[in-house]
Amino acid sequence: MSSLVIGFQETEKLQLALVGGKGLNLAKLSKVEGVEVPDGFCVTTVGYQKAIEQNEAYQALLNQLTLLKVGEREQIGNISRKIRELIMGVDIPADVEKEVAQYLSTFGEGHAYAVRSSATAEDLPHASFAGQQDTYLNIIGKESIMHHISKCWASLFTDRAVIYRMQNGFDHGQVYLSVIIQKMIFPAASGILFTADPITSNRKLLSIDASFGLGEALVSGLVSADCYKVREGEIVDKRIAVKSLAMYGRKEGGTSTHQIDSVLQKTQTLTDQQILELARIGRQIEAHFGFPQDIEWCLADDTFYIVQSRPITTLYPIPEASDQENHVYLSVGHQQMMTDPMKPLGLSFFLLTTPAPMRIAGGRLFVDITPRLASPVMRENFINTMGQSDPLLKDALTTVIERKNFIKTLPIIDQPAPTPLTAHEQSASEGFQAHIENESTIVSDLVTSNQASVEALKRNIQNKSGLDLFNFILEDLQELKRFLSDPRSSNVFMTAMNASAWINENMKEWLGEKNAADTLSQSVPNNITSEMGLALLDVADVIRPYPVVIAYLEHVKEDDFMDELVKIEGGQETRNAIQDYLDKYGMRCAGEIDLTRTRWVEKPITLVPLILGNIKNFEPNESKRKFEQGRQEALKKEQEILDRLKLLPDGEQKAKETKRMIDLVRNFIGYREYPKYGMINRYFVYKQALLKEAERLAQAGVIAEKEDIYLLTFEEFREVVRTNELDEKIITQRKDDYKFYEKLTPPRVLTSDGEIITGQYKRENLPAEAIVGLPVSSGVIEGRARVIFNIEDADLEDGDILVTPYTDPSWTPLFVSIKGLVTEVGGLMTHGAVIAREYGLPAIVGVEKATQRIKDGQQIRVHGTEGYIEIL
């Protein structure tokens, strides 16, 4: 036999390219001891290619399809339909037909068969393509089977399959189809088994859906199914559905749907014994493939048959642990306002900078907080500190603690010494009330000494190269760590944060006023991040008088646009203004904690739409007006609060103490943003030096392009510099991994079972349709929601409300143009919250799935004091 048709047993011939994902998995399954797979064979992709390869009309249509974009649904529909009709009209090659007939005569031509599609881009570890192509059941007779082979081939071009390929970057011309022909099983019951719980992602919880008759009814959503959950060989949950319909095979071929006898409708589809047997088979299959599986099964004559098994591709990877104990991991991205994956070099630098016990999973960082939760002494303090800044975290961690047996409580004598996760927690965990009074120079001293240190770094790194450079960077990272962990530094903003909390607590008690500190935090001095937003308004002021420059900027596409500027009137002034801005803030960008991200100074065109927006939306001198307006509002609020306090019993004392706290907030809260600026400054100096090394490697042909170094860890990069060798396969593999990680959504809290634990906000008396989040900046605002994922796409009008997954400092220039802020990620002290308070923008963070629940252009009302959003 040639490679046109291959039986499941002919393993040596089976390859993905010939039989597709489903065919390959079925053949592998049929080899597993104790797993029953209905007999069958595959018409390989060679047959499909033979049928269409010489067809010029097919090639022409395929070329048209390749030019289309996902949005052009109507054209996609038309061309796809023509391709399907064309495939249905093509004769099946005679040698394919002959070989299929030979297999059928061996198996028995009178049998009923299932005819199923198996594409080469299907059931892959990173893209499941589940259900993209067609399946036909109970097909009898050679003629009918041949007809359904054509139908399967044509199903490669259903609209849904075509769009899915476009979205996942697969080339239509490179995806082929094999057809599986398998002996039909007529089951009493069938369903789906997930070896990891599809709701929570828990790898120890196995989930079974079961209903009567054929599984197609369940897959197509025609019938309800029972759901059973099994953990470590024990049934832990059963939901019995009312099953009114079932699909069965007909004698003459095809299927029909029947009403189920009313007595049976509420009975359990599988007995407890059968549930446990099926769970055992599921675990066996999972062990064979080494990855959680989504399995289709059916039950006939007391035997379970497996008709499909594919990897579950949506699970978030679990951080690796060195022991078999239970662990709880906390997402660093949710603390750092950057939930995208990071490249290996970026991860390396963050790991070299932080003292906390970090783990990597899905291209993102997690902190192992198990030791804290195991210690009764640390646990409560830790959960409350986290809860102040992010109630969802607190709720999720409380859920874990309430499962008494998940984390073993350590005896007092074995308590670990805690490593601080954040400066915020460092100070809070020491349980101290900072004792710096208003020393006016402390902030400027810290800033001056850090600036001097960065300047020294820039000078000293100039002449370093090769292994010297790597050693030098490792040494300098100690300097960065000293700067980040300087107790004076955390003391400054902890003092401000504690004072802010004191004001909120006491003003609520004494004056019945919620979140009073928000207004008092407007327009504080020394905030490097909010100054950055205002400074871009000043850049707009320089350009505003020159219509020629504005017209030029509206059409620039390339990053070298600054070079051409000098030729037009006002161009030199514009260039100087942008350059001065970049000198101070150019090392910033979205996702800046990842050293490999492109900085503004590397791609200044990123700032152009923001500058043009400022010119369009504001009058000259707006930055000073905005700052002064916020300052006046804060002063007015301060006066009003102090006047009201003085009327209370013991009022003079209360006013005096409150005035002291207000001064602490205003003098010190601005510094909250500086440590990160200092870190990002250093990161960029390292990056520039490392890119010079990368250029040398690229010129020597060791790497293909200099950006390839981003896909290596710091140690691996150093090794490449030492040996002048690199295996190209590593880079290719990591590019694929990164693409996969981009599709994942990282959880806030993850356990070593892979379970994603989501927290809930505990709130009463909110409107029924309210979308709930964490209130971080007071006030109520109505406006048009702008759902934005990239700064470059931000086309804002005055009065818009920004809705986005997260904002890090690089988003601040947009804050001057908006009236309110909603993010999916964030806490009370994350950057977006701090800047929103300072600019006086009502803001709500930590809103689950905000960018899906709120549509771009909708009118919404943001209740920044109460923490909920209404869609109007």
Side-chain angles (χ1 to χ4, degrees), residues 349-385:
F349 269 92
F350 205 83
L351 288 169
L352 287 165
T353 311
T354 174
M358 298 269 174
R359 305 281 176 270
I360 298 173
R364 294 163 178 92
L365 290 164
F366 291 84
V367 183
D368 186 352
I369 55 166
T370 319
R372 285 152 195 275
L373 300 182
S375 149
V377 184
M378 285 156 60
R379 179 191 302 158
E380 196 173 340
N381 198 356
F382 173 65
I383 291 181
N384 287 334
T385 305

Side-chain angles (χ1 to χ4, degrees), residues 454-469:
V454 173
E455 288 310 314
L457 163 66
K458 285 179 181 167
R459 281 194 308 276
N460 298 335
I461 206 167
Q462 285 300 325
N463 53 1
K464 300 282 185 287
S465 66
L467 292 179
D468 267 1
L469 173 64

Side-chain angles (χ1 to χ4, degrees), residues 508-630:
K508 188 159 185 231
E509 190 186 324
W510 296 339
L511 303 174
E513 182 159 344
K514 260 190 170 176
N515 302 351
D518 290 1
T519 309
L520 296 166
S521 308
Q522 286 190 44
S523 298
V524 299
N526 300 320
N527 185 327
I528 190 79
T529 308
S530 55
E531 285 167 5
M532 172 172 86
L534 298 173
L536 205 60
L537 287 167
D538 295 338
V539 174
D541 284 352
V542 173
I543 303 169
R544 197 179 268 104
Y546 304 111
V548 191
V549 174
I550 295 172
Y552 169 74
L553 289 178
E554 276 167 349
H555 295 100
V556 292
K557 296 272 185 289
E558 298 305 320
D559 277 317
D560 56 8
F561 73 93
M562 303 262 279
D563 304 342
E564 292 295 305
L565 267 173
V566 288
K567 298 176 188 166
I568 49 184
E569 192 203 347
Q572 189 61 55
E573 292 84 338
T574 298
R575 189 184 158 150
N576 294 348
I578 294 176
Q579 196 52 59
D580 289 347
Y581 186 84
L582 290 173
D583 289 344
K584 187 161 186 188
Y585 305 110
M587 77 300 292
R588 309 218 86 156
C589 66
E592 61 187 9
I593 62 167
D594 180 354
L595 173 125
T596 72
R597 289 288 193 107
T598 307
R599 311 283 140 181
W600 289 343
V601 71
E602 295 172 304
K603 194 178 183 213
I605 201 160
T606 311
L607 296 173
V608 170
L610 304 177
I611 295 168
L612 290 170
N614 286 346
I615 293 171
K616 180 179 81 175
N617 293 327
F618 299 109
E619 295 298 310
N621 227 0
E622 178 68 19
S623 73
K624 297 199 180 39
R625 237 192 339 270
K626 234 180 179 32
F627 187 81
E628 192 48 37
Q629 183 191 341

Side-chain angles (χ1 to χ4, degrees), residues 222-271:
L222 194 66
V223 300
S224 305
D226 291 354
C227 181
Y228 320 122
K229 308 260 182 193
V230 180
R231 185 201 303 271
E232 293 168 344
E234 203 181 314
I235 301 169
V236 291
D237 190 36
K238 282 196 275 200
R239 312 249 161 114
I240 313 303
V242 177
K243 299 167 285 288
S244 51
L245 297 172
M247 196 188 263
Y248 294 103
R250 298 196 310 223
K251 282 273 187 297
E252 65 278 17
T255 59
S256 59
T257 307
H258 298 264
Q259 201 73 23
I260 291 180
D261 184 341
S262 59
V263 184
L264 280 176
Q265 287 190 6
K266 290 179 185 159
T267 39
Q268 195 172 308
T269 310
L270 298 178
T271 65

